[in-house]
Amino acid sequence: AQKVTQAQTEISVVEKEDVTLDCVYETRDTTYYLFWYKQPPSGELVFLIRRNSFDEQNEISGRYSWNFQKSTSSFNFTITASQVVDSAVYFCALSGSAAGNKLTFGGGTRVLVKP
Amino acid sequence: GAVVSQHPSWVICKSGTSVKIECRSLDFQATTMFWYRQFPKQSLMLMATSNEGSKATYEQGVEKDKFLINHASLTLSTLTVTSAHPEDSSFYICSAREQFGNSPLHFGNGTRLTVT
C-alpha cells in the first residue's frame, strides 16, 4: 500500500521568510513518482513538480526548491522568500510505476503568508 | 500545456435529484481519468478510476450505484451523483493523464456540489 504523510497541517510565516514543507512516503514499488501540487483558495490544483524515484538530484525552480532523500523516504519542499501569493494548501503525492496508476495524496499543509 | 476542463464549476441541487459532472481533456487523449473527492480542509480522496470503453474501478467504500461514471470517449468522462443527499456536498475534482508517455496528471478546476 502507498502512503504519504505531511506532518505539518498548517504553517504561518511572515512575508520574505523561508518555509519548508515536509513529506514522507511509503511504497513497495521500486519505481515511483513523487509530486507536489498547490491548491490556492480558488480550489484548482496546480502542478509544481514531478520527480521519479531514480532521480535524487535536488531541484530549484525560482523560489521553489525540492530535496529528495530516498534513504529517508522524504521529498521536502522549500519556498524561499515567501510571498502572500504563496498562501495555499500544498499537497505531496505519490504514484506507482504502472501506467495509469492512481495518485495518493498526503493530507496537505496549509501555508499562510502574512504581509 | 495539457488542459482538463471540468463543468460545472459549482452546482446547487435539491436532495434526491441527480447531478452530472463532466471532465474533458481538451488537447490530449486520456484512456484513464480519475475522480477525487475533497471535503473541506481535507485531502483529496480517490473515488474511482475511469477507463475509456470499460467499467470504472471504484475505491473501497465508494458506492458505484450512487456515483455513476461513464468514460465514453478518449476525451470525456462523466460522474453522476444519483439521488444526492446533503452529505454528498463536497468538492469533486477530475484528473487525466495523457495517453502516452509518463506525463503528470492534469487536474480540472473542480466542481463544488451543494445539496440542500
Side-chain angles (χ1 to χ4, degrees):
Chain A
Q2 297 178 336
K3 186 178 178 181
V4 178
T5 302
Q6 295 179 252
Q8 306 141 308
T9 54
E10 187 165 324
I11 301 175
S12 182
V13 297
V14 176
E15 207 169 18
K16 296 185 182 179
E17 286 184 345
D18 298 347
V19 56
T20 295
L21 312 180
D22 298 331
C23 173
V24 176
Y25 62 93
E26 296 176 29
T27 180
R28 292 179 183 174
D29 288 340
T30 53
T31 302
Y32 51 88
Y33 294 89
L34 295 162
F35 303 80
W36 276 94
Y37 285 89
K38 173 183 180 179
Q39 187 178 40
S42 50
E44 76 275 18
L45 279 169
V46 179
F47 167 77
L48 296 179
I49 189 172
R50 181 184 69 165
R51 170 69 71 221
N52 78 53
S53 53
F54 294 109
D55 184 1
E56 290 193 66
Q57 281 194 343
N58 294 327
E59 182 160 339
I60 298 175
S61 176
R63 295 183 298 107
Y64 296 167
S65 62
W66 291 269
N67 186 334
F68 178 27
Q69 295 282 344
K70 204 169 179 179
S71 60
T72 56
S73 298
S74 66
F75 187 43
N76 297 337
F77 171 35
T78 298
I79 303 173
T80 303
S82 60
Q83 300 176 1
V84 173
V85 293
D86 295 327
S87 296
V89 180
Y90 292 85
F91 290 99
C92 180
L94 169 70
S95 173
S97 56
N101 207 328
K102 62 183 180 181
L103 206 60
T104 300
F105 284 86
T109 298
R110 183 175 301 273
V111 174
L112 177 61
V113 182
K114 300 176 182 177
Chain B
V3 176
V4 174
S5 173
Q6 191 171 337
H7 178 82
S9 55
W10 61 270
V11 57
I12 301 173
C13 70
K14 292 188 176 181
S15 190
T17 61
S18 294
V19 173
K20 180 183 283 188
I21 303 170
E22 292 188 349
C23 180
R24 293 180 185 272
S25 55
L26 296 185
D27 53 359
F28 66 98
Q29 293 184 327
T31 52
T32 304
M33 292 186 177
F34 302 89
W35 287 96
Y36 289 84
R37 182 175 183 175
Q38 185 181 30
F39 289 109
K41 296 191 177 182
Q42 293 190 23
S43 187
L44 286 82
M45 299 302 296
L46 180 66
M47 298 176 66
T49 302
S50 171
N51 304 299
E52 187 266 337
S54 65
K55 292 183 179 179
T57 304
Y58 289 82
E59 294 299 300
Q60 191 173 8
V62 178
E63 299 176 60
K64 61 180 181 181
D65 295 329
K66 180 168 186 62
F67 298 100
L68 300 179
I69 291 173
N70 183 282
H71 195 152
S73 76
L74 284 172
T75 60
L76 174 64
S77 174
T78 61
L79 168 67
T80 301
V81 183
T82 62
S83 187
H85 291 283
E87 55 265 32
D88 297 325
S89 298
S90 188
F91 192 57
Y92 294 88
I93 307 177
C94 72
S95 67
R97 178 179 284 120
E98 294 178 55
Q99 187 176 8
F100 302 107
N102 289 320
S103 60
L105 281 175
H106 304 286
F107 284 83
N109 285 350
T111 297
R112 190 163 302 283
L113 170 63
T114 302
V115 184
T116 61

